[in-house]
Amino acid sequence: KHFAMIFESPEQLAAWSAVNRIFGFAPRTGAALIDHYGSPESLFDADRKELEYLLRHNTGYLDAIVPQTLEKERRELQALMDEGVRMLCIGDERYPSLLKECPDPPAMLYVRSLSPLESIFGNPKRISVVGTRDITSYGKEWCTRIVSAMSSCPACRPAIVSGLAIGTDITAHLAALDRGLPTIAVMATGIDAVYPFRHGRYAEMISSAPGSALVTDYPPETTPRAINFLRRNRIIAGLSDATILIESKIKGGGMMTCRIASSYDREVFALPGRIGDQCSAGCNELIRNGTAACISEVNSLLDSLGLRHGGKWEKDDIRMKTYTFYRDREGADPAERLSIVADIVGRNPDIRIEDIATAANMEYRDAANAVGMLECDGIVVTDLLRRCSVNPRFL
């Protein structure tokens, strides 16, 4: 009877919030107690001796299960609502159904967004895109290409879910925003803080974009600790129909998110990398042991995700886009030469200028001049070693 309602007042939400605060790292215990007593409110009026017996192996929770906790939660929730934050308890019919299916869903979600809750969690598809903080140019390029391809699916444009971290996460969020896809950032802090601090501007962009939101199950004033990220990762996996791993070392948060997603019977995909490349070692391992399907081609990925991609995505798009960009400004012949160089770079991330010259049958000087022009116009980026890759924002 508690799973077909809408909870909107601090009084209604206080008990759920208290259960979430007390049993945040043991959601199954909290859920079992609610099932036993019939409602979260009844838990706080429970007979003390019975409660002590039920929690005889977890006595540390007992001191918090008192009526005074509810009043404290009510005041806190009212303050959050005054700041525009919304709370969504698991008893609310708007709670994301995919997350509710998991064996360990949080009792409460805190949401910061300008969009209705129904539009945030009502998207027919949510795809999580995760990976290393130390993302390479290869990872950035393919992360952007994959999100861009999903944005071109007219029948079903999914929401992109990630964790707001540096590297892969923020690349996925920004690629979604750039292409008009909704994106959900699941945080490892309270809703009143952004980590890392440098992403404060991006957090504002996400919370303001249509259908997008900042989401956390952590109470306010929760600071980022290592253990928080594992709990955060289970929500990323639980919110999503499928998880895509862009790059990861053998050990990393992205690997854990994929394993959790697999345990939830959700689809997992991984971008393969070069043998011996530590940034792709985790992806290659998940593909090898069958946890993740290999992303070998973008169109087949979209088909596997059920997005029913209407058009074709091809690498030749880079060549055509570059040619079109320069044709009127430089003329047909220079535009063709520049598009050939851009296409070579697109097919060979981290390629050196001398190798571009060989592939394009050009003098080194001509290839260097072409790369310089492409770099000035934001089509190509180069690193300190002058290795060239396509700028993901051009894709």
Side-chain angles (χ1 to χ4, degrees), residues 21-219:
R21 182 185 291 274
I22 297 167
F23 297 102
F25 283 97
R28 299 188 199 202
T29 301
L33 288 172
I34 292 173
D35 286 343
H36 179 78
Y37 287 107
S39 72
E41 296 88 348
S42 300
L43 172 60
F44 291 88
D45 293 326
D47 177 79
R48 199 67 186 173
K49 289 197 176 295
E50 181 184 26
L51 199 55
E52 289 174 354
Y53 174 76
L54 292 173
L55 291 172
R56 60 192 180 277
H57 300 301
N58 299 281
T59 56
Y61 297 123
L62 287 169
D63 289 343
I65 306 176
V66 292
Q68 296 91 322
T69 301
L70 298 184
E71 179 57 27
K72 180 182 177 182
E73 291 294 332
R74 190 201 65 76
R75 291 195 302 269
E76 184 175 81
L77 295 182
Q78 184 62 64
L80 288 174
M81 288 179 173
D82 292 343
E83 296 175 5
V85 175
R86 281 165 292 170
M87 279 62 67
L88 192 56
C89 68
I90 197 170
D92 196 303
E93 62 188 30
R94 299 168 298 178
Y95 189 93
S97 58
L98 280 176
L99 189 58
K100 191 182 293 185
E101 291 174 3
C102 300
D104 53 357
M108 176 75 78
L109 295 175
Y110 301 84
V111 182
R112 189 182 293 278
S113 175
L114 297 182
S115 301
L117 293 171
E118 293 84 352
S119 70
I120 298 167
F121 299 115
N123 193 295
K125 283 281 187 179
R126 287 188 294 272
I127 309 297
S128 59
V129 180
V130 298
T132 181
R133 287 170 168 78
D134 301 320
I135 190 170
T136 67
S137 57
Y138 168 76
K140 284 183 180 179
E141 179 181 343
W142 278 99
C143 181
T144 304
R145 286 182 173 182
I146 289 168
V147 173
S148 178
M150 287 192 279
S151 74
S152 67
C153 299
C156 181
R157 303 176 79 247
I160 303 301
V161 182
S162 201
L164 199 63
I166 61 174
T168 305
D169 290 10
I170 201 62
T171 300
H173 288 308
L174 293 179
L177 292 175
D178 285 346
R179 286 149 184 82
L181 286 179
T183 187
I184 297 172
V186 184
M187 306 193 304
T189 62
I191 200 68
D192 54 340
V194 172
Y195 179 84
F197 181 77
R198 72 180 83 169
H199 287 173
R201 179 168 64 91
Y202 300 140
E204 288 293 328
M205 292 167 58
I206 292 169
S207 64
S208 302
S212 302
L214 305 177
V215 174
T216 183
D217 72 324
Y218 285 106

Side-chain angles (χ1 to χ4, degrees), residues 351-365:
I351 189 172
R352 297 179 185 275
I353 293 176
E354 54 265 34
D355 297 322
I356 295 173
T358 300
N361 195 26
M362 288 181 175
E363 296 292 334
Y364 178 88
R365 180 181 61 184

